[in-house]
């Protein structure tokens, strides 16, 4: 999209006259339009390309060759000839070219601060043997080097508080100076990468007695009238560019951001919306050229930034767009109005491309003139990744492998647990410098990708997605981004809320807030330790009985049953999400106030679904078989017999003592703990005595296998803390001695389940 508008103020000289040292004329707005020059003495189309250094950017180009600068702390400046690919390293700490075979070198890292300059004629190896000129810019004025346009050195200096711009040509081995622009009413500065023409320069100036009006000023280095483009109020000009036919710059205004383009010699401007104000801007004839530079870090490598925007050509005439290069890292003016760009295409790979204007104004020609020998595109040629992983397979971790078409790319692998959204990332730097294929291998330790509090819990169950991305070392070309998925399968456990294979508990504090408590084995077969807690929500004081129930409703995680003070039983389905472990509640039904004790989580009937056991106030034990249906989670109840009023605590343990089905623990009012082994048909074997002294505990919680030894365990809570009893799997002596542990993670709770 483009907008054409004519504004007298922008194209006028605002009645300010500027004397030109080269011509003695005045600053006017309407120069004659220059003709497009055809590239001369350049490499023939189709000619075999010459080498381009892989770790370098282009900083100059002429008819005979190009100048490169390596990345890193101590750059090397090398000139390479198109004719045979031969090259020389130039002396000096800095160097730049400007569309001709002349190169300027300096004695400091920045040419603008260099004192001693040398000018080299690199049209042939013979002329490159000795500098054409060498001089001290301080002794000349003093001056400061500002750029090179064709065979013209651009210099600047400050005089009476005003910056003035000068041009210098080399005659008889010495610079011949002439004043270009700058006066009491003009102070002008050279803009970075501000000219893409060998015979003209574009300056940022401040105009007026108080320097109140910003303007872009075009200076024709061969002399003649010069146009000035004043900025209107609330318009802020950015980086500009110039060609033989047009001038353009990025601009921010109240109505938005974009690019202003003018045809030189015509009282017309065009506006192209563009938000990327920091991206470099170039011109090739009547075509805008722009893109986002590849991000190169201080060590010379491509940083892990988002994929760069491609190098694009856009017609000023009709707004047509065309992607010239996949990406680029540098660009300089070339002879005949051409632009030399370090970049790449999927078809021809990475290297130096010449973009040349066409005499008919059509889309500029793009040709590869020097190659790094690298492909721009990184491809995944093969992979070895799992499809499913069981808990047993993950015990020793899992191996992944990916084959890349080129090794000189920085690689990042991200592993994501889809249900939680948590990720784990690993990175590898670019490898083989020659771009040979590469295999990237990674051993995942099989631990939780979230790694809470630095502790290594087992990986959670569910679907995972891996993503491998590879960014070419030079920052040129698109990132490879490929994904795949696999599933971690774990048997569901009544107290494994988040699917990581370890025990989780819920606790309600005195304020009625419910907390989810995470644990992991402190040592295999030993006790357990806390790995953190998550607040589930408030309002739980309305319940007088809360019970972890296992997966009674077919959800992907254990559920919770809660009875309110009116006797209504509610179901909270598990989500498997550590951050939000429970979904909204569902009403099961009323009348549950008749029960003193409720125990859930054991599969008593042997059908693979957890059931519920409850004792009424008359001492009768009732079995509610689980259905696996959230809307109707239990089938009709069955009486299991009387005499259960002697017990003040029931705990469903799952397969606690090696029997065929879910078991039950019962504590009598004397503090003696009894064991009921399930037969798998909805009944229990005769009770066996575990031992006395259990009356001091507020609750007994069967937590499944919490310490990772394959046996169900028990936790007992009291006002003094929590005691962990490791299971043995032997019904004759089902529990090891207790060990104190702070699984509540410092939380003072009134009930734990």
């Amino acid at each position: 999209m483009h907008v054409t508008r004519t504004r007298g103020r922008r194209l006028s000289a605002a009645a300010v006259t500027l004397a030109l040292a080269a011509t003695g004329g005045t600053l006017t707005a309407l120069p004659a339009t220059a003709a497009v020059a055809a590239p001369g003495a350049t490499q023939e189309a189709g000619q075999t390309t010459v080498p381009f250094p892989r770790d370098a950017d282009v900083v100059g180009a002429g008819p005979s060759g190009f100048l490169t600068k390596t990345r890193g702390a101590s750059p090397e400046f090398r000139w390479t000839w198109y004719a045979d690919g031969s090259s020389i390293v130039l002396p000096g700490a800095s160097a730049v070219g400007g569309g001709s075979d002349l190169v300027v070198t300096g004695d400091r890292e920045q040419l603008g601060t260099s004192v001693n300059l040398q000018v080299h004629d690199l049209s042939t190896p013979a002329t490159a043997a000795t500098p054409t000129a060498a001089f001290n810019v301080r002794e000349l004025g003093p001056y400061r080097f500002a750029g090179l346009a064709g065979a013209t050195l651009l210099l600047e200096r400050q005089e009476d508080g005003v910056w003035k711009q000068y041009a210098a040509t080399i005659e008889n081995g010495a610079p011949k100076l002439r004043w270009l622009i700058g006066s009491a009413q003009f102070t002008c500065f050279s803009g970075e990468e501000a000219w893409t023409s060998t015979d003209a320069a574009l300056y940022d100036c401040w105009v007026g007695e108080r320097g109140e009006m910003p303007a872009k000023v075009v200076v024709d280095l061969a002399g003649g009238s010069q146009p000035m483009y004043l900025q209107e109020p609330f318009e802020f000009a950015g980086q500009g560019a110039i060609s033989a036919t047009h001038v353009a710059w990025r601009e921010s205004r109240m109505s938005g951001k974009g690019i202003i383009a003018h045809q030189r010699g015509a009282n017309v401007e065009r506006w192209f919306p563009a938000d990327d104000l920091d991206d470099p801007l170039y011109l090739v004839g009547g075509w805008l050229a722009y893109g986002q530079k590849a991000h190169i870090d201080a060590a010379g490598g491509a940083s892990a930034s988002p994929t760069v925007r491609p190098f694009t050509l856009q017609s000023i005439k009709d707004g047509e767009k065309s992607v010239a290069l996949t990406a680029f890292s540098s660009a300089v003016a070339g002879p005949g109005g051409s632009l030399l760009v370090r970049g790449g295409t999927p078809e021809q790979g990475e290297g130096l491309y010449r973009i040349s204007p066409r005499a008919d104004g059509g889309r500029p020609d793009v040709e590869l003139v020097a190659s790094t020998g690298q492909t721009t595109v990184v491809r995944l040629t093969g992979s070895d990744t799992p499809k499913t992983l069981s808990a047993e397979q993950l015990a020793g971790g899992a191996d992944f492998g990916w084959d890349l078409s080129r090794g000189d790319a920085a690689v990042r692998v991200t592993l994501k647990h889809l249900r939680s959204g948590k990720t784990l990332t690993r990175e590898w730097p670019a490898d083989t410098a020659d771009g040979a294929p590469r295999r990237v291998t990674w051993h995942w330790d099989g631990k939780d990708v979230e790694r809470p509090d630095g502790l290594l819990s087992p990986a959670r169950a569910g679907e995972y997605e891996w993503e491998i991305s590879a960014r070419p070392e030079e920052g040129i070309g698109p990132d490879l981004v490929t994904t795949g998925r696999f599933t971690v399968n774990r048997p569901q456990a009544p107290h494994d809320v988040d699917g990581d294979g370890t025990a989780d508990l819920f606790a309600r504090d005195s304020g009625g807030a419910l907390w989810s408590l995470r644990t992991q084995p402190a040592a295999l077969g030993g006790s357990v330790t806390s790995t953190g807690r998550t607040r589930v929500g408030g309002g739980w004081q309305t319940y007088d009985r809360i019970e972890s129930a296992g997966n009674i409703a077919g959800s992907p995680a254990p559920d919770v049953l809660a009875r309110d003070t009116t006797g209504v039983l509610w179901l909270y389905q598990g989500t498997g999400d550590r951050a939000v472990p429970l979904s909204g509640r569902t009403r099961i039904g009323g009348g549950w106030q008749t029960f003193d004790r409720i125990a859930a989580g054991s599969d008593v009937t042997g059908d693979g679904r957890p059931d519920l056991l409850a004792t009424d106030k008359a001492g009768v034990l009732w079995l509610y078989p689980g259905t696996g249906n959230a809307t109707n989670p239990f089938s009709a109840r069955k009486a299991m017999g009387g005499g259960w009023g002697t017990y003040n605590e029931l705990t469903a343990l799952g397969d606690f003592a090696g029997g065929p089905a879910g078991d039950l623990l019962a504590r009598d009012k004397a503090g003696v703990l009894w064991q009921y082994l399930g037969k798998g048909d909805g009944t229990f074997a005769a009770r066996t005595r575990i031992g006395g002294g259990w009356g001091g505990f507020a609750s007994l919680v069967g937590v499944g296998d919490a310490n990772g030894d394959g046996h169900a365990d028990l936790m007992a809570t009291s006002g003094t803390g929590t005691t962990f009893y490791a299971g043995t799997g032997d019904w004759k002596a089902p529990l090891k001695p207790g060990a104190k542990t702070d699984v509540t993670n410092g939380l003072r709770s009134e009930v734990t389940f």
Side-chain angles (χ1 to χ4, degrees):
M1 174 182 177
H2 65 273
V3 178
T4 302
R5 61 176 178 166
T6 301
R7 292 194 312 200
R9 180 183 174 191
R10 181 187 290 281
L11 296 177
S12 74
V16 179
T17 301
L18 173 66
L20 299 175
T23 64
T26 58
L27 184 71
T28 61
L30 302 173
T33 302
V36 178
T42 57
Q43 185 184 30
E44 293 295 331
Q47 180 178 331
T48 303
T49 57
V50 298
F52 190 95
R54 293 189 173 183
D55 62 341
D57 287 307
V58 62
V59 291
S64 302
F66 57 89
L67 179 67
T68 56
K69 174 186 177 181
T70 57
R71 298 161 185 159
S74 301
E76 173 191 89
F77 294 90
R78 180 181 295 272
W79 180 269
T80 301
W81 281 280
Y82 290 124
D84 57 7
S86 62
S87 64
I88 60 169
V89 176
L90 297 175
S94 54
V96 71
S100 70
D101 288 333
L102 291 187
V103 169
V104 177
T105 61
D107 58 356
R108 299 185 182 179
E109 291 183 2
Q110 301 294 329
L111 273 167
T113 61
S114 293
V115 176
N116 297 299
L117 301 180
Q118 290 185 344
V119 181
H120 307 262
D121 180 359
L122 301 175
S123 55
T124 66
T127 58
T130 58
T132 300
F135 55 91
N136 185 311
V137 291
R138 299 287 175 82
E139 295 176 355
L140 288 178
Y143 291 90
R144 185 170 69 182
F145 181 82
L148 181 64
T152 303
L153 281 69
L154 301 170
L155 307 173
E156 60 186 6
R157 71 175 182 178
Q158 196 172 29
E159 302 176 23
D160 299 326
V162 174
W163 280 98
K164 295 184 177 181
Q165 304 298 321
Y166 290 81
T169 53
I170 304 302
E171 298 183 14
N172 300 320
K176 182 178 180 180
L177 286 157
R178 57 190 176 92
W179 172 46
L180 291 177
I181 189 172
S183 68
Q185 293 181 323
F186 281 79
T187 184
C188 298
F189 304 92
S190 58
E192 181 184 0
E193 296 180 292
W195 41 82
T196 55
S197 172
T198 56
D199 55 7
L202 181 65
Y203 288 99
D204 292 312
C205 300
W206 289 91
V207 183
E209 294 181 358
R210 297 181 302 276
E212 68 273 16
M213 295 183 293
K216 291 285 188 180
V217 177
V218 176
V219 176
D220 186 345
L221 300 178
S225 55
Q226 314 294 296
M228 176 178 69
Y229 304 92
L230 287 173
Q231 296 296 295
E232 292 186 349
F234 304 107
E235 291 182 346
F236 304 94
Q239 187 190 65
I242 188 171
S243 71
T245 58
H246 289 79
V247 60
W249 62 86
R250 294 190 180 275
E251 184 173 280
S252 176
R253 56 175 64 163
M254 293 185 67
S255 60
K257 302 173 183 178
I259 299 172
I260 286 287
H262 290 267
Q263 182 176 339
R264 294 171 66 180
N267 192 22
V268 174
E269 73 176 24
R270 292 176 183 265
W271 167 260
F272 300 87
D275 290 331
D276 310 316
L277 288 180
D278 295 330
D279 288 350
L281 177 66
Y282 308 93
L283 276 172
V284 181
W287 288 69
L288 302 168
Y290 51 81
Q292 181 188 23
K293 278 189 175 182
H295 295 271
I296 307 301
D297 59 29
S303 65
S305 58
T307 303
V308 296
R309 291 183 287 275
F311 195 71
T312 301
L313 298 171
Q314 184 172 12
S315 170
I316 296 174
K317 180 180 180 181
D318 57 20
E320 174 192 347
K321 285 186 179 182
S322 175
V323 173
L325 303 172
T326 304
F328 87 115
S329 63
S330 53
V332 295
S338 63
L339 191 67
L340 277 296
V341 186
R342 166 73 168 94
T345 66
E347 297 78 17
Q348 294 183 285
E350 298 182 16
L352 184 65
Y353 286 80
R354 181 189 295 117
I355 303 177
S356 305
R358 294 176 54 179
D360 61 4
R363 180 187 182 277
D365 296 320
V366 181
E367 59 176 327
L368 178 69
V369 295
S371 174
T372 65
Q374 298 167 292
T375 62
T376 294
V377 178
V378 185
R379 293 184 174 88
L380 185 69
T381 59
S383 64
D384 293 318
T385 59
K387 297 298 182 184
T388 60
L389 290 169
S390 66
E392 292 76 14
Q393 289 173 317
L394 268 183
D399 293 310
F400 295 74
W402 298 272
D403 296 309
L404 305 179
S405 62
R406 52 183 283 192
D408 51 345
V411 177
R412 171 183 292 179
V413 169
T414 299
L415 185 62
K416 182 177 183 180
H417 182 243
L418 294 181
R419 183 182 299 159
S420 67
K422 301 298 182 180
T423 60
L424 177 68
T425 299
R426 292 292 181 265
E427 296 182 350
W428 295 262
D431 192 1
T432 52
D434 59 1
R438 175 187 184 187
R439 181 169 179 81
V440 175
T441 59
W442 176 48
H443 178 75
W444 178 34
D445 58 10
K447 303 301 182 183
D448 191 352
V449 295
E450 186 177 1
R451 319 232 156 174
D453 303 325
L455 300 173
L456 301 181
S457 300
R460 280 173 273 183
E463 193 173 17
Y464 286 76
E465 180 178 82
W466 56 259
E467 177 185 280
I468 182 171
S469 64
R471 172 176 291 269
E473 183 182 22
E474 301 293 336
I476 306 296
D479 288 2
L480 163 72
V481 179
T482 302
T483 62
R485 293 188 177 186
F486 64 94
T487 302
V488 170
N489 295 315
R490 290 188 181 279
Q492 290 184 346
H495 277 269
D496 184 9
V497 171
D498 53 12
D500 66 356
T502 64
D504 306 298
L505 292 90
F506 289 103
R508 183 180 66 191
D509 64 24
S510 57
L514 188 68
W515 297 79
S516 173
L517 312 175
R518 302 189 300 275
T519 72
Q520 73 172 27
L524 184 63
S527 187
V528 295
T529 184
S530 169
T531 60
R533 68 188 188 194
T534 301
R535 188 179 189 275
V536 179
W540 287 76
Q541 68 274 12
T542 189
Y543 300 115
D544 61 10
R545 189 73 183 179
I546 310 173
E547 187 77 16
S548 290
N551 181 14
I552 63 173
S555 59
D559 308 318
V560 167
L561 294 174
R563 183 184 67 186
D564 65 25
T565 54
T566 68
V568 176
L569 190 65
W570 300 89
L571 168 67
Y572 287 85
Q573 285 189 262
T575 65
D577 185 347
R578 178 177 291 162
V580 186
L582 299 175
S583 61
R585 69 180 186 175
T586 301
R587 189 180 191 273
I588 293 178
W592 289 79
Q593 68 273 15
T594 188
F595 297 109
D596 284 333
R597 302 294 169 209
I598 297 175
S602 281
D603 176 18
V604 177
T605 60
D607 62 359
R609 293 189 292 266
D611 307 310
L612 182 144
L613 295 163
T615 58
D616 62 22
K617 294 178 181 179
V620 176
L621 179 68
W622 296 89
L623 168 65
Y624 286 83
T627 65
N629 187 335
T631 58
N632 186 24
F634 302 113
S635 58
R637 68 180 184 172
K638 300 177 181 178
M640 303 284 289
W644 289 80
T646 188
Y647 300 116
N648 59 15
E649 182 71 4
L650 294 180
T651 301
L653 296 167
D655 181 6
F656 181 63
D663 305 321
L664 185 67
L665 288 183
R667 183 186 65 189
D668 65 25
K669 295 175 183 178
V672 177
L673 191 63
W674 300 87
Q675 174 182 247
Y676 287 85
L677 298 182
K679 295 181 178 180
D681 60 358
T683 65
F684 296 103
R687 71 178 186 174
T688 57
R689 188 178 190 272
I690 292 178
W694 291 82
F697 295 112
S699 63
L700 303 176
V701 183
V703 293
D705 180 16
N707 64 0
D709 65 356
H711 305 303
D713 306 312
L714 180 70
M715 286 187 186
T717 64
S718 68
T720 60
T722 304
T723 304
F724 177 77
Y725 291 89
T728 65
D730 181 1
W731 69 271
K732 297 178 182 179
L735 296 174
K736 295 180 181 179
K740 286 286 188 179
T741 180
D742 182 20
V743 296
T744 62
N745 199 247
L747 178 73
R748 296 182 63 86
S749 63
E750 59 181 20
V751 60
T752 302
F753 58 95

